[in-house]
Every structure is written in structure tokens, then in C-alpha cells.
């Protein structure tokens, strides 16, 4: 199985490779920030401030 790239443009996260707009992690967890089921309410649970 080929490694999948995780796109990311959250440049204040220490896991973000800003040059390529990719996450440095091989897998991430996502969490819901509210009771909404919209995609916009989903965020990365692996976020760490740079």
C-alpha cells in the first residue's frame, strides 16, 4: 500500500510541512469542534502549536 499524503495548510502547527502544505505525520485523528455535522466543524486532533 502506498503512503497517503495528508494535505494541510495550518502553518502554525508544528506537524505542518509548510513548503509542501502537507502534514509530517503518517496518520492523524480528527475531532468535531461542535455539534454540527458539516465538514467545516471537523478539525485535526493532532494539532500542536509551533
Amino acid at each position: 500500500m502506498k503512503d497517503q499524503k495528508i494535505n494541510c495548510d495550518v502553518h502554525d502547527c508544528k506537524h505542518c510541512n509548510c513548503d509542501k502544505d502537507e502534514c509530517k505525520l503518517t496518520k492523524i485523528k480528527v475531532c468535531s469542534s461542535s455539534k454540527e455535522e458539516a465538514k467545516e466543524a471537523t478539525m485535526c486532533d493532532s494539532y500542536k502549536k509551533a
Side-chain angles (χ1 to χ4, degrees):
M1 188 165 120
K2 192 175 181 180
D3 287 342
Q4 185 175 348
K5 299 293 181 191
I6 302 168
N7 295 332
C8 181
D9 59 5
V10 182
H11 292 176
D12 66 339
C13 178
K14 73 177 188 177
H15 300 303
C16 183
N17 178 347
C18 302
D19 295 335
K20 295 184 178 181
D21 283 340
E22 291 176 355
C23 183
K24 295 176 187 174
L25 300 175
T26 55
K27 60 182 169 180
I28 61 170
K29 285 194 248 177
V30 294
C31 65
S32 181
S33 61
S34 70
K35 293 182 181 178
E36 296 175 46
E37 294 195 24
K39 185 176 179 180
E40 291 77 22
T42 304
M43 60 183 287
C44 179
D45 199 39
S46 303
Y47 173 82
K48 296 278 187 246
K49 185 94 171 142

